[in-house]
Amino acid sequence: MEKITSFTVNHDKLEKGMYISRIDGDCITYDIRMKKPNGGDYLTNGALHTFEHLFATYARNSAFSDSVIYVGPMGCRTGFYFIVRDKMSHEEVLSLVRESFVFIADFDDVIPGSTRIECGNYLEHDLPGARKVASDMLIVLKDWNRDKMVYEV
């Protein structure tokens, strides 16, 4: 079998940030790396789960909701994939990600979709953990721009 694109990225060189992972037709996949790969510090399941609920809710209720295809965690627990239609510029996507992270960092309410009926693992949430991750990433992405969205070779 052919190696999938994400396995061709040198994870030893990958740092926290936001990268253009791939472009497939009119879909762009962004790699939002929240933890240093193989660094020993990973997103906890509860924080990752809560982050997913809040990030997806915010992005899918934004002015760009028609362009949002997918918000989901990486199995390695170092970040999220964010897939959008190419109707959005890279700068608009970065802005939406920052806005989403501000929303998460400041969120202090009932987690959307967190009841037994709405969620398949409703007991495993960690709002303080999700807020901490969002706050950390806002610092990382503060001066991020299109030029930094390319993986280091």
Side-chain angles (χ1 to χ4, degrees):
M1 285 192 216
E2 287 187 36
K3 192 181 281 193
I4 64 172
T5 304
S6 61
F7 295 159
T8 66
V9 175
N10 185 340
H11 285 68
D12 286 336
K13 292 185 177 184
L14 196 54
E15 299 293 335
K16 290 192 221 179
M18 182 172 159
Y19 306 93
I20 299 165
S21 176
R22 55 185 297 148
I23 299 174
D24 299 289
D26 71 337
C27 297
I28 302 172
T29 301
Y30 292 90
D31 171 337
I32 303 172
R33 199 58 64 151
M34 303 165 150
K35 299 287 184 177
K36 171 86 174 130
N38 302 311
D41 176 32
Y42 305 100
L43 297 167
T44 66
N45 287 328
L48 176 135
H49 188 197
T50 301
F51 201 99
E52 176 196 15
H53 279 238
L54 294 173
F55 188 9
T57 296
Y58 188 88
R60 290 185 176 135
N61 281 280
S62 73
F64 296 104
S65 62
D66 291 344
S67 293
V68 175
I69 297 170
Y70 176 75
V71 175
M74 297 174 182
C76 60
R77 295 185 296 129
T78 61
F80 275 74
Y81 287 115
F82 187 41
I83 305 173
V84 299
R85 299 232 180 263
D86 67 357
K87 295 185 284 186
M88 294 179 69
S89 70
H90 299 305
E91 292 77 13
E92 288 171 325
V93 175
L94 179 57
S95 180
L96 176 57
V97 167
R98 284 185 185 125
E99 289 172 20
S100 297
F101 290 9
V102 167
F103 170 75
I104 296 166
D106 294 341
F107 191 82
D108 190 24
D109 203 345
V110 175
I111 299 161
S114 65
T115 68
R116 181 183 183 100
I117 293 171
E118 300 166 315
C119 179
N121 191 5
Y122 76 104
L123 294 176
E124 191 169 29
H125 280 281
D126 176 6
L127 180 57
R131 292 177 64 179
K132 185 176 185 292
V133 171
S135 295
D136 179 58
M137 281 305 294
L138 284 168
I139 295 167
V140 172
L141 296 177
K142 180 178 180 250
D143 296 318
W144 211 260
N145 59 52
R146 169 63 181 95
D147 294 336
K148 292 181 177 184
M149 290 185 179
V150 179
Y151 289 126
E152 184 180 331
V153 180

CSV table of all heavy atoms in Angstrom, one decimal, residues 42-100:
chain,number,residue,atom,x,y,z
A,42,TYR,N,0.4,14.9,25.9
A,42,TYR,CA,-0.6,14.7,24.9
A,42,TYR,C,-1.9,15.3,25.5
A,42,TYR,O,-2.1,15.5,26.7
A,42,TYR,CB,-0.8,13.3,24.5
A,42,TYR,CG,0.6,12.7,24.1
A,42,TYR,CD1,1.3,11.9,24.9
A,42,TYR,CD2,1.0,13.0,22.8
A,42,TYR,CE1,2.6,11.4,24.5
A,42,TYR,CE2,2.3,12.5,22.4
A,42,TYR,CZ,3.0,11.7,23.3
A,42,TYR,OH,4.3,11.2,22.9
A,43,LEU,N,-2.9,15.5,24.6
A,43,LEU,CA,-4.2,16.0,25.0
A,43,LEU,C,-4.8,14.8,25.8
A,43,LEU,O,-4.8,13.7,25.3
A,43,LEU,CB,-5.0,16.3,23.8
A,43,LEU,CG,-4.6,17.5,22.9
A,43,LEU,CD1,-5.3,17.5,21.6
A,43,LEU,CD2,-4.7,18.8,23.6
A,44,THR,N,-5.4,15.1,26.9
A,44,THR,CA,-6.1,14.1,27.6
A,44,THR,C,-7.4,13.8,26.9
A,44,THR,O,-7.9,14.7,26.2
A,44,THR,CB,-6.4,14.5,29.1
A,44,THR,OG1,-7.4,15.6,29.0
A,44,THR,CG2,-5.2,14.9,29.8
A,45,ASN,N,-7.9,12.6,27.1
A,45,ASN,CA,-9.2,12.3,26.4
A,45,ASN,C,-10.3,13.2,26.7
A,45,ASN,O,-11.1,13.6,25.9
A,45,ASN,CB,-9.6,10.8,26.7
A,45,ASN,CG,-8.7,9.8,26.0
A,45,ASN,OD1,-8.2,10.1,24.9
A,45,ASN,ND2,-8.5,8.7,26.7
A,46,GLY,N,-10.5,13.6,28.0
A,46,GLY,CA,-11.6,14.5,28.4
A,46,GLY,C,-11.4,15.8,27.8
A,46,GLY,O,-12.4,16.4,27.3
A,47,ALA,N,-10.2,16.4,27.8
A,47,ALA,CA,-10.0,17.8,27.2
A,47,ALA,C,-10.2,17.7,25.7
A,47,ALA,O,-10.8,18.6,25.1
A,47,ALA,CB,-8.6,18.3,27.6
A,48,LEU,N,-9.7,16.7,25.1
A,48,LEU,CA,-9.8,16.5,23.6
A,48,LEU,C,-11.3,16.4,23.2
A,48,LEU,O,-11.7,17.1,22.3
A,48,LEU,CB,-9.0,15.3,23.2
A,48,LEU,CG,-9.1,14.9,21.8
A,48,LEU,CD1,-7.7,14.5,21.3
A,48,LEU,CD2,-10.0,13.7,21.6
A,49,HIS,N,-12.0,15.6,24.0
A,49,HIS,CA,-13.5,15.4,23.7
A,49,HIS,C,-14.3,16.7,23.9
A,49,HIS,O,-15.0,17.1,23.0
A,49,HIS,CB,-14.0,14.4,24.7
A,49,HIS,CG,-15.4,13.9,24.4
A,49,HIS,ND1,-16.1,13.2,25.3
A,49,HIS,CD2,-16.2,14.0,23.3
A,49,HIS,CE1,-17.3,12.9,24.8
A,49,HIS,NE2,-17.3,13.4,23.6
A,50,THR,N,-14.0,17.5,24.9
A,50,THR,CA,-14.7,18.7,25.2
A,50,THR,C,-14.3,19.7,24.1
A,50,THR,O,-15.1,20.5,23.6
A,50,THR,CB,-14.4,19.3,26.6
A,50,THR,OG1,-14.8,18.3,27.5
A,50,THR,CG2,-15.1,20.6,26.8
A,51,PHE,N,-13.0,19.8,23.8
A,51,PHE,CA,-12.5,20.7,22.8
A,51,PHE,C,-13.2,20.4,21.4
A,51,PHE,O,-13.6,21.4,20.8
A,51,PHE,CB,-11.0,20.5,22.6
A,51,PHE,CG,-10.3,21.7,22.0
A,51,PHE,CD1,-9.7,22.6,22.7
A,51,PHE,CD2,-10.3,21.9,20.6
A,51,PHE,CE1,-9.1,23.7,22.2
A,51,PHE,CE2,-9.7,22.9,20.0
A,51,PHE,CZ,-9.1,23.9,20.8
A,52,GLU,N,-13.4,19.2,21.1
A,52,GLU,CA,-14.1,18.8,19.9
A,52,GLU,C,-15.5,19.3,19.8
A,52,GLU,O,-16.0,19.9,18.9
A,52,GLU,CB,-14.1,17.3,19.7
A,52,GLU,CG,-14.8,16.8,18.5
A,52,GLU,CD,-15.2,15.4,18.5
A,52,GLU,OE1,-15.1,14.7,19.6
A,52,GLU,OE2,-15.6,14.8,17.4
A,53,HIS,N,-16.2,19.1,20.9
A,53,HIS,CA,-17.6,19.6,21.0
A,53,HIS,C,-17.7,21.1,20.8
A,53,HIS,O,-18.5,21.6,20.1
A,53,HIS,CB,-18.3,19.2,22.3
A,53,HIS,CG,-18.7,17.8,22.4
A,53,HIS,ND1,-20.1,17.5,22.7
A,53,HIS,CD2,-18.1,16.6,22.2
A,53,HIS,CE1,-20.2,16.2,22.7
A,53,HIS,NE2,-19.0,15.6,22.4
A,54,LEU,N,-16.8,21.8,21.5
A,54,LEU,CA,-16.9,23.3,21.4
A,54,LEU,C,-16.4,23.8,20.1
A,54,LEU,O,-17.0,24.8,19.5
A,54,LEU,CB,-16.1,23.9,22.6
A,54,LEU,CG,-16.7,23.6,24.0
A,54,LEU,CD1,-15.7,24.0,25.1
A,54,LEU,CD2,-18.0,24.2,24.2
A,55,PHE,N,-15.3,23.3,19.6
A,55,PHE,CA,-14.7,23.7,18.3
A,55,PHE,C,-15.7,23.5,17.2
A,55,PHE,O,-16.0,24.4,16.4
A,55,PHE,CB,-13.4,23.0,18.1
A,55,PHE,CG,-12.6,23.5,16.9
A,55,PHE,CD1,-12.9,24.6,16.2
A,55,PHE,CD2,-11.4,22.8,16.5
A,55,PHE,CE1,-12.1,25.0,15.1
A,55,PHE,CE2,-10.6,23.1,15.5
A,55,PHE,CZ,-11.0,24.3,14.7
A,56,ALA,N,-16.3,22.3,17.1
A,56,ALA,CA,-17.2,22.0,16.1
A,56,ALA,C,-18.5,22.8,16.2
A,56,ALA,O,-19.0,23.3,15.2
A,56,ALA,CB,-17.6,20.5,16.1
A,57,THR,N,-19.0,23.0,17.4
A,57,THR,CA,-20.2,23.8,17.6
A,57,THR,C,-19.9,25.3,17.1
A,57,THR,O,-20.7,25.9,16.4
A,57,THR,CB,-20.6,23.8,19.0
A,57,THR,OG1,-21.0,22.5,19.4
A,57,THR,CG2,-21.8,24.7,19.3
A,58,TYR,N,-18.8,25.8,17.5
A,58,TYR,CA,-18.5,27.2,17.1
A,58,TYR,C,-18.3,27.4,15.6
A,58,TYR,O,-18.9,28.2,15.0
A,58,TYR,CB,-17.2,27.8,17.9
A,58,TYR,CG,-17.1,29.2,17.6
A,58,TYR,CD1,-17.7,30.2,18.5
A,58,TYR,CD2,-16.3,29.7,16.5
A,58,TYR,CE1,-17.5,31.5,18.2
A,58,TYR,CE2,-16.2,31.1,16.3
A,58,TYR,CZ,-16.8,32.0,17.1
A,58,TYR,OH,-16.7,33.3,16.9
A,59,ALA,N,-17.5,26.5,15.1
A,59,ALA,CA,-17.2,26.6,13.6
A,59,ALA,C,-18.4,26.4,12.8
A,59,ALA,O,-18.6,27.1,11.8
A,59,ALA,CB,-16.1,25.6,13.3
A,60,ARG,N,-19.2,25.5,13.2
A,60,ARG,CA,-20.4,25.1,12.4
A,60,ARG,C,-21.6,26.1,12.6
A,60,ARG,O,-22.6,26.1,11.9
A,60,ARG,CB,-20.9,23.7,12.7
A,60,ARG,CG,-19.9,22.7,12.1
A,60,ARG,CD,-20.4,21.3,12.3
A,60,ARG,NE,-19.5,20.4,11.7
A,60,ARG,CZ,-19.1,19.3,12.3
A,60,ARG,NH1,-19.5,18.9,13.5
A,60,ARG,NH2,-18.2,18.5,11.6
A,61,ASN,N,-21.4,27.1,13.5
A,61,ASN,CA,-22.4,28.1,13.7
A,61,ASN,C,-21.8,29.5,13.3
A,61,ASN,O,-22.4,30.5,13.5
A,61,ASN,CB,-22.8,28.2,15.2
A,61,ASN,CG,-23.8,27.1,15.5
A,61,ASN,OD1,-25.0,27.3,15.2
A,61,ASN,ND2,-23.3,26.0,16.1
A,62,SER,N,-20.6,29.5,12.7
A,62,SER,CA,-20.0,30.7,12.3
A,62,SER,C,-20.6,31.2,10.9
A,62,SER,O,-21.3,30.5,10.3
A,62,SER,CB,-18.5,30.5,12.1
A,62,SER,OG,-18.2,29.7,11.0
A,63,ALA,N,-20.1,32.3,10.5
A,63,ALA,CA,-20.5,32.8,9.1
A,63,ALA,C,-20.0,31.9,8.0
A,63,ALA,O,-20.5,32.0,6.9
A,63,ALA,CB,-19.9,34.2,8.9
A,64,PHE,N,-19.0,31.0,8.3
A,64,PHE,CA,-18.4,30.1,7.4
A,64,PHE,C,-19.0,28.7,7.5
A,64,PHE,O,-18.4,27.8,7.0
A,64,PHE,CB,-16.9,30.1,7.5
A,64,PHE,CG,-16.3,31.4,7.2
A,64,PHE,CD1,-15.8,32.2,8.2
A,64,PHE,CD2,-16.2,31.9,5.9
A,64,PHE,CE1,-15.2,33.4,8.0
A,64,PHE,CE2,-15.6,33.1,5.6
A,64,PHE,CZ,-15.1,33.9,6.6
A,65,SER,N,-20.1,28.6,8.2
A,65,SER,CA,-20.7,27.2,8.4
A,65,SER,C,-20.8,26.4,7.2
A,65,SER,O,-20.6,25.1,7.2
A,65,SER,CB,-22.0,27.3,9.2
A,65,SER,OG,-22.9,28.0,8.4
A,66,ASP,N,-21.2,27.0,6.1
A,66,ASP,CA,-21.3,26.2,4.8
A,66,ASP,C,-20.0,25.7,4.3
A,66,ASP,O,-20.0,24.8,3.4
A,66,ASP,CB,-22.0,27.1,3.7
A,66,ASP,CG,-23.5,27.4,4.1
A,66,ASP,OD1,-24.0,26.7,4.9
A,66,ASP,OD2,-24.0,28.3,3.4
A,67,SER,N,-18.9,26.2,4.7
A,67,SER,CA,-17.6,25.8,4.2
A,67,SER,C,-17.0,24.8,5.2
A,67,SER,O,-16.0,24.1,4.8
A,67,SER,CB,-16.7,27.0,4.1
A,67,SER,OG,-17.1,27.8,3.0
A,68,VAL,N,-17.5,24.6,6.4
A,68,VAL,CA,-16.9,23.7,7.3
A,68,VAL,C,-17.3,22.3,7.0
A,68,VAL,O,-18.5,22.0,7.0
A,68,VAL,CB,-17.3,24.1,8.8
A,68,VAL,CG1,-16.7,23.0,9.8
A,68,VAL,CG2,-16.7,25.4,9.1
A,69,ILE,N,-16.4,21.4,6.8
A,69,ILE,CA,-16.7,20.0,6.5
A,69,ILE,C,-16.5,19.1,7.7
A,69,ILE,O,-17.3,18.2,8.0
A,69,ILE,CB,-15.8,19.5,5.3
A,69,ILE,CG1,-16.1,20.3,4.0
A,69,ILE,CG2,-16.0,18.0,5.1
A,69,ILE,CD1,-15.2,20.0,2.9
A,70,TYR,N,-15.4,19.3,8.4
A,70,TYR,CA,-15.0,18.4,9.5
A,70,TYR,C,-14.1,19.0,10.5
A,70,TYR,O,-13.2,19.8,10.2
A,70,TYR,CB,-14.3,17.1,8.9
A,70,TYR,CG,-13.8,16.1,9.9
A,70,TYR,CD1,-14.7,15.3,10.5
A,70,TYR,CD2,-12.4,16.0,10.2
A,70,TYR,CE1,-14.2,14.3,11.5
A,70,TYR,CE2,-12.0,15.1,11.1
A,70,TYR,CZ,-12.8,14.3,11.7
A,70,TYR,OH,-12.4,13.4,12.6
A,71,VAL,N,-14.4,18.8,11.8
A,71,VAL,CA,-13.6,19.1,12.9
A,71,VAL,C,-13.3,17.9,13.7
A,71,VAL,O,-14.3,17.3,14.2
A,71,VAL,CB,-14.2,20.2,13.8
A,71,VAL,CG1,-13.4,20.5,15.0
A,71,VAL,CG2,-14.6,21.5,13.0
A,72,GLY,N,-12.1,17.4,13.8
A,72,GLY,CA,-11.9,16.2,14.6
A,72,GLY,C,-10.5,16.0,15.1
A,72,GLY,O,-9.5,16.5,14.5
A,73,PRO,N,-10.4,15.2,16.2
A,73,PRO,CA,-9.1,15.0,16.8
A,73,PRO,C,-8.2,14.0,16.0
A,73,PRO,O,-8.7,13.1,15.3
A,73,PRO,CB,-9.5,14.5,18.2
A,73,PRO,CG,-10.8,13.8,18.0
A,73,PRO,CD,-11.5,14.6,16.9
A,74,MET,N,-6.9,14.1,16.2
A,74,MET,CA,-6.0,13.1,15.7
A,74,MET,C,-5.9,12.0,16.7
A,74,MET,O,-5.9,12.2,17.9
A,74,MET,CB,-4.6,13.8,15.5
A,74,MET,CG,-4.6,14.9,14.6
A,74,MET,SD,-2.9,15.7,14.6
A,74,MET,CE,-3.3,17.0,13.4
A,75,GLY,N,-5.8,10.8,16.2
A,75,GLY,CA,-5.6,9.6,17.1
A,75,GLY,C,-4.5,9.7,18.0
A,75,GLY,O,-4.5,9.1,19.1
A,76,CYS,N,-3.4,10.4,17.6
A,76,CYS,CA,-2.2,10.5,18.5
A,76,CYS,C,-2.4,11.5,19.6
A,76,CYS,O,-1.5,11.6,20.4
A,76,CYS,CB,-1.0,10.9,17.6
A,76,CYS,SG,-1.2,12.5,16.8
A,77,ARG,N,-3.5,12.2,19.6
A,77,ARG,CA,-3.8,13.2,20.6
A,77,ARG,C,-2.9,14.3,20.7
A,77,ARG,O,-2.6,14.9,21.8
A,77,ARG,CB,-4.0,12.5,22.0
A,77,ARG,CG,-5.1,11.5,22.1
A,77,ARG,CD,-5.3,10.9,23.4
A,77,ARG,NE,-4.2,10.1,23.9
A,77,ARG,CZ,-3.6,10.3,25.1
A,77,ARG,NH1,-4.0,11.1,25.9
A,77,ARG,NH2,-2.6,9.5,25.4
A,78,THR,N,-2.3,14.7,19.5
A,78,THR,CA,-1.5,15.9,19.5
A,78,THR,C,-2.2,17.1,18.8
A,78,THR,O,-1.6,18.2,18.7
A,78,THR,CB,-0.1,15.6,18.8
A,78,THR,OG1,-0.4,15.2,17.4
A,78,THR,CG2,0.6,14.6,19.5
A,79,GLY,N,-3.4,16.9,18.3
A,79,GLY,CA,-4.0,18.0,17.7
A,79,GLY,C,-5.3,17.6,17.0
A,79,GLY,O,-5.9,16.6,17.3
A,80,PHE,N,-5.8,18.5,16.1
A,80,PHE,CA,-7.0,18.4,15.4
A,80,PHE,C,-6.8,18.6,13.9
A,80,PHE,O,-6.0,19.3,13.4
A,80,PHE,CB,-8.0,19.4,15.8
A,80,PHE,CG,-8.8,19.0,17.1
A,80,PHE,CD1,-8.2,19.0,18.3
A,80,PHE,CD2,-10.1,18.6,17.0
A,80,PHE,CE1,-8.9,18.6,19.4
A,80,PHE,CE2,-10.8,18.3,18.1
A,80,PHE,CZ,-10.2,18.3,19.3
A,81,TYR,N,-7.7,17.9,13.1
A,81,TYR,CA,-7.8,18.2,11.7
A,81,TYR,C,-9.0,19.1,11.5
A,81,TYR,O,-10.1,18.9,12.2
A,81,TYR,CB,-8.0,16.9,10.9
A,81,TYR,CG,-6.7,16.1,10.7
A,81,TYR,CD1,-6.6,14.8,11.3
A,81,TYR,CD2,-5.6,16.6,10.1
A,81,TYR,CE1,-5.5,14.1,11.2
A,81,TYR,CE2,-4.4,15.8,10.0
A,81,TYR,CZ,-4.4,14.6,10.5
A,81,TYR,OH,-3.3,13.9,10.4
A,82,PHE,N,-8.9,20.0,10.6
A,82,PHE,CA,-10.0,21.0,10.3
A,82,PHE,C,-10.1,21.0,8.8
A,82,PHE,O,-9.1,21.4,8.1
A,82,PHE,CB,-9.7,22.4,10.9
A,82,PHE,CG,-10.8,23.4,10.8
A,82,PHE,CD1,-12.1,23.0,11.1
A,82,PHE,CD2,-10.5,24.7,10.5
A,82,PHE,CE1,-13.1,23.9,11.0
A,82,PHE,CE2,-11.5,25.6,10.4
A,82,PHE,CZ,-12.8,25.2,10.7
A,83,ILE,N,-11.2,20.5,8.3
A,83,ILE,CA,-11.4,20.5,6.8
A,83,ILE,C,-12.4,21.4,6.4
A,83,ILE,O,-13.5,21.4,7.0
A,83,ILE,CB,-11.7,19.0,6.4
A,83,ILE,CG1,-10.7,18.0,6.9
A,83,ILE,CG2,-11.8,19.0,4.9
A,83,ILE,CD1,-11.0,16.6,6.6
A,84,VAL,N,-12.1,22.3,5.4
A,84,VAL,CA,-13.0,23.3,4.9
A,84,VAL,C,-13.0,23.3,3.4
A,84,VAL,O,-12.1,22.8,2.8
A,84,VAL,CB,-12.7,24.7,5.5
A,84,VAL,CG1,-12.7,24.7,7.0
A,84,VAL,CG2,-11.3,25.1,5.0
A,85,ARG,N,-14.0,23.9,2.8
A,85,ARG,CA,-14.0,24.1,1.4
A,85,ARG,C,-13.1,25.3,1.1
A,85,ARG,O,-12.9,26.2,1.9
A,85,ARG,CB,-15.5,24.4,0.9
A,85,ARG,CG,-16.4,23.3,1.2
A,85,ARG,CD,-17.2,22.9,0.0
A,85,ARG,NE,-18.1,21.9,0.3
A,85,ARG,CZ,-17.9,20.6,0.1
A,85,ARG,NH1,-16.7,20.2,-0.5
A,85,ARG,NH2,-18.7,19.7,0.4
A,86,ASP,N,-12.6,25.3,-0.2
A,86,ASP,CA,-11.7,26.3,-0.6
A,86,ASP,C,-12.3,27.7,-0.8
A,86,ASP,O,-11.6,28.6,-1.3
A,86,ASP,CB,-10.8,25.8,-1.8
A,86,ASP,CG,-11.6,25.7,-3.0
A,86,ASP,OD1,-12.8,25.9,-3.0
A,86,ASP,OD2,-11.0,25.3,-4.1
A,87,LYS,N,-13.6,27.8,-0.5
A,87,LYS,CA,-14.2,29.1,-0.6
A,87,LYS,C,-13.6,30.1,0.4
A,87,LYS,O,-13.7,31.3,0.3
A,87,LYS,CB,-15.7,29.0,-0.4
A,87,LYS,CG,-16.5,28.3,-1.5
A,87,LYS,CD,-18.0,28.3,-1.3
A,87,LYS,CE,-18.4,27.4,-0.1
A,87,LYS,NZ,-19.8,27.3,0.0
A,88,MET,N,-13.0,29.5,1.4
A,88,MET,CA,-12.4,30.3,2.5
A,88,MET,C,-10.9,30.5,2.2
A,88,MET,O,-10.2,29.5,1.8
A,88,MET,CB,-12.5,29.6,3.8
A,88,MET,CG,-13.9,29.5,4.4
A,88,MET,SD,-13.9,28.6,6.0
A,88,MET,CE,-13.2,29.8,7.1
A,89,SER,N,-10.3,31.7,2.4
A,89,SER,CA,-8.9,31.9,2.2
A,89,SER,C,-8.2,31.3,3.5
A,89,SER,O,-8.8,31.1,4.5
A,89,SER,CB,-8.6,33.4,2.1
A,89,SER,OG,-8.8,34.0,3.4
A,90,HIS,N,-6.9,31.1,3.3
A,90,HIS,CA,-6.1,30.6,4.5
A,90,HIS,C,-6.2,31.5,5.7
A,90,HIS,O,-6.3,31.1,6.8
A,90,HIS,CB,-4.7,30.3,4.1
A,90,HIS,CG,-4.5,29.3,3.0
A,90,HIS,ND1,-5.0,28.0,3.1
A,90,HIS,CD2,-3.9,29.4,1.8
A,90,HIS,CE1,-4.7,27.4,2.0
A,90,HIS,NE2,-4.0,28.2,1.2
A,91,GLU,N,-6.2,32.8,5.3
A,91,GLU,CA,-6.3,33.8,6.4
A,91,GLU,C,-7.7,33.8,7.1
A,91,GLU,O,-7.7,34.0,8.3
A,91,GLU,CB,-6.1,35.2,5.8
A,91,GLU,CG,-4.6,35.5,5.3
A,91,GLU,CD,-4.3,34.8,4.0
A,91,GLU,OE1,-5.3,34.4,3.2
A,91,GLU,OE2,-3.1,34.7,3.6
A,92,GLU,N,-8.8,33.5,6.3
A,92,GLU,CA,-10.1,33.4,6.9
A,92,GLU,C,-10.2,32.2,7.8
A,92,GLU,O,-10.8,32.2,8.9
A,92,GLU,CB,-11.2,33.4,5.9
A,92,GLU,CG,-11.4,34.7,5.2
A,92,GLU,CD,-12.3,34.5,4.0
A,92,GLU,OE1,-12.3,33.5,3.3
A,92,GLU,OE2,-13.1,35.5,3.7
A,93,VAL,N,-9.6,31.1,7.4
A,93,VAL,CA,-9.6,29.9,8.2
A,93,VAL,C,-8.8,30.1,9.5
A,93,VAL,O,-9.2,29.8,10.6
A,93,VAL,CB,-9.0,28.7,7.4
A,93,VAL,CG1,-8.9,27.5,8.3
A,93,VAL,CG2,-9.8,28.4,6.2
A,94,LEU,N,-7.6,30.7,9.4
A,94,LEU,CA,-6.8,31.0,10.6
A,94,LEU,C,-7.6,31.9,11.6
A,94,LEU,O,-7.6,31.7,12.8
A,94,LEU,CB,-5.5,31.7,10.2
A,94,LEU,CG,-4.6,32.1,11.3
A,94,LEU,CD1,-4.2,30.9,12.2
A,94,LEU,CD2,-3.3,32.7,10.7
A,95,SER,N,-8.3,32.9,11.0
A,95,SER,CA,-9.1,33.8,11.8
A,95,SER,C,-10.2,33.0,12.5
A,95,SER,O,-10.5,33.2,13.7
A,95,SER,CB,-9.7,34.9,11.0
A,95,SER,OG,-10.5,35.8,11.8
A,96,LEU,N,-10.9,32.2,11.8
A,96,LEU,CA,-12.0,31.4,12.4
A,96,LEU,C,-11.4,30.4,13.5
A,96,LEU,O,-12.1,30.3,14.5
A,96,LEU,CB,-12.7,30.5,11.3
A,96,LEU,CG,-13.8,29.6,11.8
A,96,LEU,CD1,-14.9,30.3,12.6
A,96,LEU,CD2,-14.4,28.8,10.6
A,97,VAL,N,-10.3,29.9,13.3
A,97,VAL,CA,-9.7,29.0,14.3
A,97,VAL,C,-9.3,29.8,15.5
A,97,VAL,O,-9.7,29.4,16.7
A,97,VAL,CB,-8.4,28.3,13.7
A,97,VAL,CG1,-7.6,27.7,14.9
A,97,VAL,CG2,-8.8,27.3,12.7
A,98,ARG,N,-8.8,31.0,15.4
A,98,ARG,CA,-8.5,31.9,16.5
A,98,ARG,C,-9.8,32.2,17.3
A,98,ARG,O,-9.8,32.2,18.5
A,98,ARG,CB,-7.8,33.1,16.1
A,98,ARG,CG,-6.3,32.9,15.8
A,98,ARG,CD,-5.7,34.3,15.5
A,98,ARG,NE,-4.3,34.2,15.0
A,98,ARG,CZ,-3.9,34.7,13.9
A,98,ARG,NH1,-4.7,35.4,13.0
A,98,ARG,NH2,-2.6,34.6,13.5
A,99,GLU,N,-10.8,32.6,16.5
A,99,GLU,CA,-12.1,33.0,17.1
A,99,GLU,C,-12.7,31.8,17.9
A,99,GLU,O,-13.2,31.9,19.0
A,99,GLU,CB,-13.1,33.4,16.1
A,99,GLU,CG,-12.8,34.7,15.5
A,99,GLU,CD,-13.8,35.0,14.3
A,99,GLU,OE1,-14.8,34.3,14.2
A,99,GLU,OE2,-13.5,35.9,13.5
A,100,SER,N,-12.6,30.6,17.3
A,100,SER,CA,-13.1,29.4,18.0
A,100,SER,C,-12.3,29.1,19.3
A,100,SER,O,-12.9,28.7,20.3
A,100,SER,CB,-12.9,28.2,17.0
A,100,SER,OG,-13.6,28.3,15.9
